[in-house]
Amino acid sequence: MRPAGRRDAGTLGLAVTDLASLVRISEEVRDALEREVAVVALETTLIAHGFPAPDGVEVGLEAEAAVRAAGAVPATVGVLDGHVRLGLGADELARFGVDARKAGPRDLAACAVQGAVGATTVGGTLSVAGLVGIHFLGTGGIGGVHRGYAARPDVSPDLPALARTPILVAASGAKSLLDIQATVELLETLGIPVLGYRTDTLPRFYSAEGGPELAHRVESAAEAARIAAAHWRLCGAGLVLANPPPESLDVADLIEEGLAEADARGVSGQAVTPFVLAFLHERSAGRTLEVNRKLVLANARLAAEVAVAFAAL
Ligand code: PSU
Ligand code: MN
């Protein structure tokens, strides 16, 4: 096979970008998609960079178990051995360590062609899941608008990915270190509904209270599924189902400190989140880690419940 991307007159590179050779779907996920049963996509950035090793891999496996317990099939997404993959085995999950590249939508192709391990963010996972018609994703928190965006427009590609992909994402709001109000504004601009799951305000990741008011509240997974179905029928794309963390922790001051420390050390761009999360985990003596783990599992379970309710519509 010629190197991907090289083209000659006749083919314009089409042969080497054949979808089936680029995207590999596990047998379990393929079977679930064919039978139209509930499938929930899970990301790998939080496995590789959201938790210190080996916790990340454990959380990934527990999230898969939570999806199964709710009656859905997990499709963990990542880039491995030259392929964009949906559905990973335990040995494969274990390869998403700290050396994995963080893979947003812009990074998928380069990771695949270069044979790198690509840990997909919410945005990267949405891009891949959308390709095969998966409609649900569970994660910790989505990316959004970073603080200080007026000086440097650091806005997560998770938002434009949500704006173009018809997938409901269950999350405990946005990442804790963001400008939450600006993130809510941009979600509205992009036409992305945020449904509070039994809450009137957007959860602030580690803490359930104190976030901005939401326009919409739902009381059940079935209600969320019906709104998602109607949204897609009306040609809408992504939605966020905002699920308060099962256990609430106020770490606003520590986040300020972590961001200042990142700035002082010249950490920027994609490296900021992993840096600040590690800082929080360390300075809270592991308490942020515990809450983070619990909310990831709760969101995986909720995404699965909505997927199951949607399949029954
Ligand atoms: N929230 C967390 N931990 C994480 C992330 C979010 O608490 O590791 C990851 C998710 O994968 C999310 C990504 O999609 O960070 C967004 O990163 P960025 O802002 O660079 O797009
Ligand atoms: Mn960014």
Side-chain angles (χ1 to χ4, degrees), residues 43-45 49 77-79 96 100-109 111-112 116-128 157-158 270:
E43 56 149 314
T44 37
T45 285
H49 304 299
V77 171
V79 185
F96 289 84
R101 278 198 222 167
K102 187 172 167 181
R106 70 162 190 194
D107 307 302
L108 296 170
C111 283
V117 179
T120 52
T121 62
V122 169
T125 306
L126 284 169
S127 302
V128 175
D158 289 1
Q270 284 191 327

Short mmCIF file of all heavy atoms in Angstrom, two decimals, residues 43-45 49 77-79 96 100-109 111-112 116-128 157-158 270:
data_model
loop_
_atom_site.label_atom_id
_atom_site.label_comp_id
_atom_site.label_asym_id
_atom_site.label_seq_id
_atom_site.Cartn_x
_atom_site.Cartn_y
_atom_site.Cartn_z
N GLU A 43 -14.69 7.57 25.77
CA GLU A 43 -13.44 8.16 25.28
C GLU A 43 -12.21 7.52 25.95
O GLU A 43 -12.34 6.83 26.97
CB GLU A 43 -13.44 9.66 25.54
CG GLU A 43 -13.67 10.04 27.00
CD GLU A 43 -12.97 11.32 27.40
OE1 GLU A 43 -11.78 11.50 27.07
OE2 GLU A 43 -13.62 12.14 28.08
N THR A 44 -11.02 7.78 25.41
CA THR A 44 -9.79 7.24 26.00
C THR A 44 -8.85 8.31 26.55
O THR A 44 -7.88 7.97 27.22
CB THR A 44 -9.03 6.34 25.00
OG1 THR A 44 -9.16 6.88 23.69
CG2 THR A 44 -9.59 4.93 25.01
N THR A 45 -9.14 9.60 26.29
CA THR A 45 -8.26 10.63 26.88
C THR A 45 -8.33 10.57 28.40
O THR A 45 -7.31 10.72 29.08
CB THR A 45 -8.65 12.04 26.40
OG1 THR A 45 -8.20 12.20 25.05
CG2 THR A 45 -7.97 13.12 27.23
N HIS A 49 -4.98 10.36 30.28
CA HIS A 49 -4.50 11.63 30.84
C HIS A 49 -5.35 12.18 31.98
O HIS A 49 -4.95 13.12 32.64
CB HIS A 49 -4.41 12.68 29.73
CG HIS A 49 -3.56 12.25 28.59
ND1 HIS A 49 -2.22 11.96 28.74
CD2 HIS A 49 -3.84 12.03 27.28
CE1 HIS A 49 -1.72 11.58 27.57
NE2 HIS A 49 -2.69 11.61 26.66
N VAL A 77 -13.43 4.14 22.26
CA VAL A 77 -12.83 4.61 21.01
C VAL A 77 -11.38 5.04 21.24
O VAL A 77 -11.04 5.62 22.27
CB VAL A 77 -13.65 5.82 20.47
CG1 VAL A 77 -12.93 6.49 19.29
CG2 VAL A 77 -15.05 5.37 20.05
N GLY A 78 -10.52 4.73 20.28
CA GLY A 78 -9.13 5.19 20.34
C GLY A 78 -8.45 4.85 19.03
O GLY A 78 -9.03 4.16 18.19
N VAL A 79 -7.24 5.35 18.86
CA VAL A 79 -6.47 5.03 17.65
C VAL A 79 -5.33 4.10 18.06
O VAL A 79 -4.57 4.42 18.98
CB VAL A 79 -5.92 6.30 16.98
CG1 VAL A 79 -5.23 5.94 15.66
CG2 VAL A 79 -7.02 7.33 16.75
N PHE A 96 -3.40 2.55 26.58
CA PHE A 96 -3.64 3.99 26.63
C PHE A 96 -3.05 4.57 27.91
O PHE A 96 -3.73 4.91 28.85
CB PHE A 96 -5.14 4.29 26.48
CG PHE A 96 -5.61 4.02 25.09
CD1 PHE A 96 -5.98 2.73 24.70
CD2 PHE A 96 -5.62 5.03 24.14
CE1 PHE A 96 -6.37 2.47 23.40
CE2 PHE A 96 -6.02 4.77 22.84
CZ PHE A 96 -6.39 3.48 22.47
N ALA A 100 0.33 8.15 25.43
CA ALA A 100 -0.62 8.24 24.30
C ALA A 100 -0.79 9.69 23.88
O ALA A 100 -0.78 10.59 24.72
CB ALA A 100 -1.96 7.64 24.70
N ARG A 101 -0.95 9.91 22.59
CA ARG A 101 -1.24 11.26 22.13
C ARG A 101 -2.69 11.59 22.43
O ARG A 101 -3.57 10.74 22.26
CB ARG A 101 -1.07 11.35 20.60
CG ARG A 101 0.34 11.53 20.15
CD ARG A 101 0.31 12.06 18.71
NE ARG A 101 1.33 11.39 17.90
CZ ARG A 101 1.40 11.45 16.58
NH1 ARG A 101 0.49 12.11 15.89
NH2 ARG A 101 2.36 10.83 15.93
N LYS A 102 -2.93 12.82 22.84
CA LYS A 102 -4.31 13.29 23.02
C LYS A 102 -4.89 13.54 21.63
O LYS A 102 -4.33 14.32 20.86
CB LYS A 102 -4.28 14.57 23.85
CG LYS A 102 -5.63 15.09 24.26
CD LYS A 102 -5.45 16.24 25.24
CE LYS A 102 -6.73 17.01 25.42
NZ LYS A 102 -6.57 18.14 26.34
N ALA A 103 -5.96 12.85 21.30
CA ALA A 103 -6.47 12.90 19.92
C ALA A 103 -7.84 13.55 19.84
O ALA A 103 -8.87 12.94 20.15
CB ALA A 103 -6.51 11.49 19.33
N GLY A 104 -7.84 14.82 19.45
CA GLY A 104 -9.08 15.52 19.12
C GLY A 104 -9.40 15.28 17.65
O GLY A 104 -8.69 14.51 16.97
N PRO A 105 -10.47 15.91 17.15
CA PRO A 105 -10.86 15.67 15.75
C PRO A 105 -9.73 15.93 14.76
O PRO A 105 -9.59 15.21 13.77
CB PRO A 105 -12.00 16.68 15.55
CG PRO A 105 -12.57 16.90 16.92
CD PRO A 105 -11.41 16.79 17.87
N ARG A 106 -8.89 16.90 15.02
CA ARG A 106 -7.81 17.22 14.07
C ARG A 106 -6.70 16.18 14.07
O ARG A 106 -5.87 16.14 13.16
CB ARG A 106 -7.19 18.58 14.41
CG ARG A 106 -6.38 18.51 15.68
CD ARG A 106 -5.41 19.65 15.87
NE ARG A 106 -4.54 19.31 17.00
CZ ARG A 106 -3.76 20.15 17.63
NH1 ARG A 106 -3.71 21.40 17.27
NH2 ARG A 106 -3.00 19.74 18.62
N ASP A 107 -6.63 15.36 15.10
CA ASP A 107 -5.48 14.47 15.31
C ASP A 107 -5.70 13.04 14.84
O ASP A 107 -4.75 12.25 14.78
CB ASP A 107 -5.12 14.44 16.79
CG ASP A 107 -4.92 15.84 17.37
OD1 ASP A 107 -4.06 16.57 16.84
OD2 ASP A 107 -5.65 16.20 18.31
N LEU A 108 -6.95 12.67 14.54
CA LEU A 108 -7.27 11.27 14.25
C LEU A 108 -6.46 10.74 13.07
O LEU A 108 -5.85 9.67 13.14
CB LEU A 108 -8.77 11.11 13.97
CG LEU A 108 -9.71 11.43 15.13
CD1 LEU A 108 -11.16 11.48 14.65
CD2 LEU A 108 -9.55 10.38 16.23
N ALA A 109 -6.46 11.49 11.98
CA ALA A 109 -5.81 11.02 10.75
C ALA A 109 -4.31 10.85 10.95
O ALA A 109 -3.73 9.82 10.57
CB ALA A 109 -6.10 12.00 9.61
N CYS A 111 -2.65 10.41 13.76
CA CYS A 111 -2.38 9.28 14.66
C CYS A 111 -2.49 7.95 13.91
O CYS A 111 -1.65 7.06 14.07
CB CYS A 111 -3.37 9.28 15.83
SG CYS A 111 -3.00 10.49 17.10
N ALA A 112 -3.54 7.83 13.09
CA ALA A 112 -3.75 6.56 12.38
C ALA A 112 -2.63 6.31 11.38
O ALA A 112 -2.03 5.23 11.35
CB ALA A 112 -5.11 6.58 11.67
N ALA A 116 0.46 5.93 15.73
CA ALA A 116 0.57 6.35 17.13
C ALA A 116 -0.63 5.85 17.93
O ALA A 116 -1.68 5.56 17.37
CB ALA A 116 0.63 7.87 17.20
N VAL A 117 -0.44 5.75 19.26
CA VAL A 117 -1.58 5.49 20.14
C VAL A 117 -2.29 6.82 20.35
O VAL A 117 -1.70 7.76 20.87
CB VAL A 117 -1.13 4.90 21.49
CG1 VAL A 117 -2.34 4.68 22.40
CG2 VAL A 117 -0.36 3.61 21.29
N GLY A 118 -3.52 6.91 19.90
CA GLY A 118 -4.28 8.16 19.99
C GLY A 118 -5.42 8.02 20.98
O GLY A 118 -6.37 7.26 20.75
N ALA A 119 -5.32 8.73 22.10
CA ALA A 119 -6.37 8.70 23.12
C ALA A 119 -7.38 9.78 22.75
O ALA A 119 -7.09 10.97 22.83
CB ALA A 119 -5.77 8.96 24.50
N THR A 120 -8.57 9.34 22.37
CA THR A 120 -9.54 10.31 21.85
C THR A 120 -10.22 11.12 22.96
O THR A 120 -10.64 10.58 23.97
CB THR A 120 -10.63 9.63 20.98
OG1 THR A 120 -11.21 8.55 21.73
CG2 THR A 120 -10.04 9.10 19.70
N THR A 121 -10.29 12.42 22.73
CA THR A 121 -11.05 13.33 23.59
C THR A 121 -12.55 13.13 23.30
O THR A 121 -12.92 12.34 22.42
CB THR A 121 -10.70 14.79 23.26
OG1 THR A 121 -11.09 15.03 21.90
CG2 THR A 121 -9.21 15.07 23.43
N VAL A 122 -13.38 13.91 23.98
CA VAL A 122 -14.81 13.87 23.65
C VAL A 122 -15.00 14.23 22.16
O VAL A 122 -15.73 13.54 21.44
CB VAL A 122 -15.60 14.83 24.56
CG1 VAL A 122 -17.03 15.01 24.05
CG2 VAL A 122 -15.60 14.33 25.99
N GLY A 123 -14.32 15.28 21.72
CA GLY A 123 -14.45 15.69 20.31
C GLY A 123 -14.00 14.61 19.34
O GLY A 123 -14.67 14.32 18.34
N GLY A 124 -12.86 14.00 19.63
CA GLY A 124 -12.35 12.93 18.77
C GLY A 124 -13.29 11.73 18.79
O GLY A 124 -13.56 11.10 17.75
N THR A 125 -13.80 11.41 19.97
CA THR A 125 -14.71 10.27 20.12
C THR A 125 -16.03 10.53 19.39
O THR A 125 -16.58 9.63 18.74
CB THR A 125 -14.95 9.98 21.62
OG1 THR A 125 -13.68 9.83 22.26
CG2 THR A 125 -15.78 8.72 21.82
N LEU A 126 -16.52 11.77 19.49
CA LEU A 126 -17.75 12.12 18.76
C LEU A 126 -17.56 11.93 17.27
O LEU A 126 -18.43 11.40 16.57
CB LEU A 126 -18.11 13.59 19.03
CG LEU A 126 -18.73 13.93 20.39
CD1 LEU A 126 -18.77 15.44 20.59
CD2 LEU A 126 -20.12 13.34 20.51
N SER A 127 -16.41 12.37 16.75
CA SER A 127 -16.16 12.26 15.31
C SER A 127 -16.22 10.81 14.86
O SER A 127 -16.80 10.49 13.82
CB SER A 127 -14.78 12.85 14.96
OG SER A 127 -14.70 14.19 15.36
N VAL A 128 -15.61 9.93 15.66
CA VAL A 128 -15.55 8.51 15.29
C VAL A 128 -16.93 7.84 15.48
O VAL A 128 -17.41 7.12 14.60
CB VAL A 128 -14.48 7.78 16.14
CG1 VAL A 128 -14.50 6.29 15.85
CG2 VAL A 128 -13.10 8.38 15.88
N PRO A 157 -12.21 21.84 20.87
CA PRO A 157 -12.89 21.29 19.68
C PRO A 157 -14.04 20.36 20.05
O PRO A 157 -14.79 19.95 19.15
CB PRO A 157 -11.78 20.55 18.93
CG PRO A 157 -10.61 20.52 19.81
CD PRO A 157 -10.79 21.47 20.94
N ASP A 158 -14.22 20.06 21.34
CA ASP A 158 -15.41 19.31 21.74
C ASP A 158 -16.68 20.06 21.33
O ASP A 158 -17.68 19.43 20.96
CB ASP A 158 -15.47 19.14 23.27
CG ASP A 158 -14.43 18.18 23.82
OD1 ASP A 158 -13.63 17.64 23.04
OD2 ASP A 158 -14.42 17.99 25.05
N GLN A 270 -3.12 21.85 24.82
CA GLN A 270 -3.69 20.56 25.23
C GLN A 270 -3.10 20.03 26.53
O GLN A 270 -3.66 19.15 27.15
CB GLN A 270 -3.45 19.52 24.14
CG GLN A 270 -4.35 19.65 22.92
CD GLN A 270 -4.23 18.42 22.02
OE1 GLN A 270 -3.15 17.84 21.94
NE2 GLN A 270 -5.30 18.04 21.36
#
